[in-house]
């Protein structure tokens, strides 16, 4: 299990320090070492990274007992407005702002700052460019998009230079749009990929499955994340980070799918969350699954869902109900 850390950067609400420390402590209670934590300079404008470093030192965790992934591309700067400008309304009680910095030199600046925020004794072994799909989507024209894509490629070239120098161990990518990962894979020899909102029980298109097979054959590590579609599959009111809108046909279809999914789960006495997690590890056997929680007591529950497989008869029932593809039964 890969532990997400956006909550440590005050995502939506500011957690007390004791709660944050207990979340980190629970990681080591429920996972073998080295524990894997996924963070980013964007998370609370670096607050999550600071929290991880401070917490690990307070718990006296050896550097070799934690594997840290730092998604790069956002850099802390002074806060000069009433609230941070980089994602208004998302982060709470921050003392800094953040700016995007994606280029060869920019990505190294982000790495150096992240190392400083983690502090003595800890550094990221895994690095990536944070959400390159969002960076490309912000382009003002086709030409701008291509220029931005070259920015991302140059950033990766620098990261691989740093890997060759022994500063990091693995270079990867995480994105919500898996097609951007596929395009990058044509230019960059990635060590690992993280799919978000893509390889889930609700959404697993055939062309994505074929791409995952290709990655697997090349020995690329596969991490799955956002397997609940922003909580929608387990009862939340947001689907892929957009509030459910009954006037949208795609949202209505998703709600109908969810009700049919819940009915099969209830018939087999299995929690929908458990199914989402296990599916995320199912095709092919992923290197890991990223889960995030702001409640220390949920860390153990998540670990149990990761480690407890479901019977093949249940997957067949989902297929018979028309909810999953035959390739993943």
């Amino acid at each position: 299990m890969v532990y997400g850390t956006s909550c440590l950067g005050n995502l939506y609400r500011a957690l007390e320090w004791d709660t944050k420390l207990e979340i980190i402590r629970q990681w080591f209670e429920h996972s073998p070492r080295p524990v894997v934590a996924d963070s980013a300079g964007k998370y609370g404008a670096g607050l999550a990274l600071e929290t991880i470093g401070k917490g690990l030192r307070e718990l006296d965790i050896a550097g070799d007992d934690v594997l840290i992934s730092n998604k790069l591309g956002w850099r802390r700067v002074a806060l000069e407005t009433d609230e941070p400008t980089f994602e208004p309304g998302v982060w709470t009680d921050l003392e800094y702002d953040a700016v995007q910095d994606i280029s060869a030199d920019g990505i190294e600046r982000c790495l150096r700052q992240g190392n400083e925020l983690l502090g003595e004794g800890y550094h990221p072994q895994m690095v990536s460019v944070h959400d390159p799909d969002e960076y490309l989507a912000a382009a003002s024209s086709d030409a701008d998009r291509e220029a931005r894509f070259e920015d991302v490629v140059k950033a990766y070239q620098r990261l691989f230079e740093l890997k060759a120098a022994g500063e990091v161990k693995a270079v990867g990518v995480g994105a919500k749009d898996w097609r951007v990962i596929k395009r990058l894979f044509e230019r960059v020899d990635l060590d690992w990929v993280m799919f978000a909102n893509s390889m889930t029980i609700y959404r697993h298109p055939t062309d994505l499955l074929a791409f995952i097979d290709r990655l697997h054959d090349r020995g690329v590590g596969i991490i799955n994340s956002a397997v609940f579609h922003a909580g929608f599959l387990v009862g939340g009111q947001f689907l892929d980070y957009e509030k459910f809108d009954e006037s949208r046909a795609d949202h209505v279809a998703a709600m109908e799918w969810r009700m049919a999914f819940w009915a099969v789960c209830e018939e087999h006495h299995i929690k929908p969350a458990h199914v989402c997690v296990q599916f995320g590890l199912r095709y092919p056997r992923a290197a890991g699954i990223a889960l995030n929680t702001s409640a220390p007591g949920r860390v153990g529950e998540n670990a149990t869902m990761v480690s407890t497989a479901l019977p093949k008869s249940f997957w067949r029932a989902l297929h018979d109900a028309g909810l999953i593809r035959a390739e993943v039964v």
Side-chain angles (χ1 to χ4, degrees):
M1 181 161 60
V2 177
Y3 291 98
T5 62
S6 55
C7 63
L8 302 182
N10 292 357
L11 179 68
Y12 299 125
R13 63 191 181 101
L15 301 178
E16 297 291 336
W17 168 249
D18 287 348
T19 300
K20 293 181 178 181
L21 184 64
E22 182 60 19
I23 288 171
I24 297 173
R25 192 186 72 79
Q26 288 291 318
W27 297 349
F28 295 88
E29 287 289 322
H30 296 286
S31 290
R33 303 187 185 202
V35 163
V36 186
D38 177 63
S39 197
K42 190 179 185 181
Y43 293 168
L47 177 60
L49 290 166
E50 277 187 321
T51 300
I52 290 169
K54 180 182 176 182
L56 293 173
R57 279 186 291 275
E58 190 162 325
L59 295 170
D60 197 25
I61 302 297
D64 290 341
D65 285 341
V66 60
L67 184 66
I68 298 171
S69 170
N70 189 6
K71 301 190 292 286
L72 307 169
W74 290 86
R75 182 166 48 81
R76 171 183 283 187
V77 296
L79 179 63
E80 299 178 346
T81 53
D82 291 339
E83 67 170 337
T85 60
F86 68 103
E87 278 186 329
V90 174
W91 306 96
T92 304
D93 292 349
L94 298 189
E95 299 179 4
Y96 297 92
D97 207 342
V99 294
Q100 200 165 40
D101 198 359
I102 296 179
S103 65
D105 290 341
I107 217 69
E108 186 166 350
R109 283 191 290 268
C110 293
L111 176 64
R112 302 299 178 207
Q113 185 182 76
N115 291 347
E116 293 174 3
L117 293 172
L118 283 167
E120 185 177 358
Y122 309 101
H123 65 277
Q125 299 92 332
M126 299 168 62
V127 293
S128 62
V129 177
H130 197 176
D131 289 337
D133 49 342
E134 293 184 1
Y135 181 64
L136 297 178
S140 59
S141 64
D142 289 344
D144 184 31
R145 182 181 175 89
E146 290 306 306
R148 284 170 174 256
F149 185 76
E150 292 304 317
D151 289 341
V152 174
V153 171
K154 290 174 183 177
Y156 272 106
Q157 290 170 344
R158 179 63 58 83
L159 291 179
F160 276 101
E161 290 171 4
L162 294 169
K163 178 187 174 184
E167 294 200 36
V168 298
K169 293 183 178 180
V171 179
V173 62
K176 299 178 181 69
D177 186 346
W178 69 269
R179 295 165 297 184
V180 170
I181 296 177
K182 186 174 184 291
R183 186 181 179 195
L184 273 172
F185 187 64
E186 303 300 330
R187 296 280 301 274
V188 179
D189 192 16
L190 299 166
D191 296 316
W192 58 271
V193 303
M194 178 184 284
F195 294 105
N197 284 340
S198 300
M199 179 54 195
T200 70
I201 193 165
Y202 176 58
R203 184 181 296 144
H204 47 280
T206 299
D207 47 355
L208 171 58
L209 298 181
F211 178 52
I212 289 177
D213 283 340
R214 183 180 170 196
L215 292 172
H216 190 62
D217 290 344
R218 287 275 295 272
V220 178
I222 298 168
I223 303 170
N224 216 339
S225 69
V227 295
F228 306 120
H229 286 276
F232 181 78
L233 298 187
V234 291
Q237 291 301 305
F238 286 82
L239 173 60
D240 295 342
Y241 311 105
E242 295 180 336
K243 189 169 178 58
F244 179 80
D245 183 352
E246 62 182 10
S247 69
R248 289 180 52 173
D250 59 331
H251 281 207
V252 172
M255 179 64 76
E256 292 173 350
W257 187 97
R258 186 175 80 174
M259 298 307 295
F261 170 54
W262 283 4
V264 177
C265 291
E266 183 176 3
E267 180 183 352
H268 289 260
H269 309 290
I270 297 173
K271 292 182 178 180
H274 190 177
V275 181
C276 293
V277 169
Q278 278 295 307
F279 187 91
L281 293 165
R282 186 167 178 81
Y283 181 89
R285 185 175 297 279
I289 187 166
L291 298 173
N292 192 7
T293 179
S294 59
R298 289 292 303 276
V299 175
E301 294 177 25
N302 287 345
T304 298
M305 290 191 295
V306 168
S307 62
T308 307
L310 298 174
K312 190 172 181 64
S313 59
F314 175 72
W315 300 114
R316 285 197 298 266
L318 287 173
H319 173 260
D320 292 344
L323 296 172
I324 62 175
R325 296 181 180 276
E327 302 98 308
V328 295
V329 173

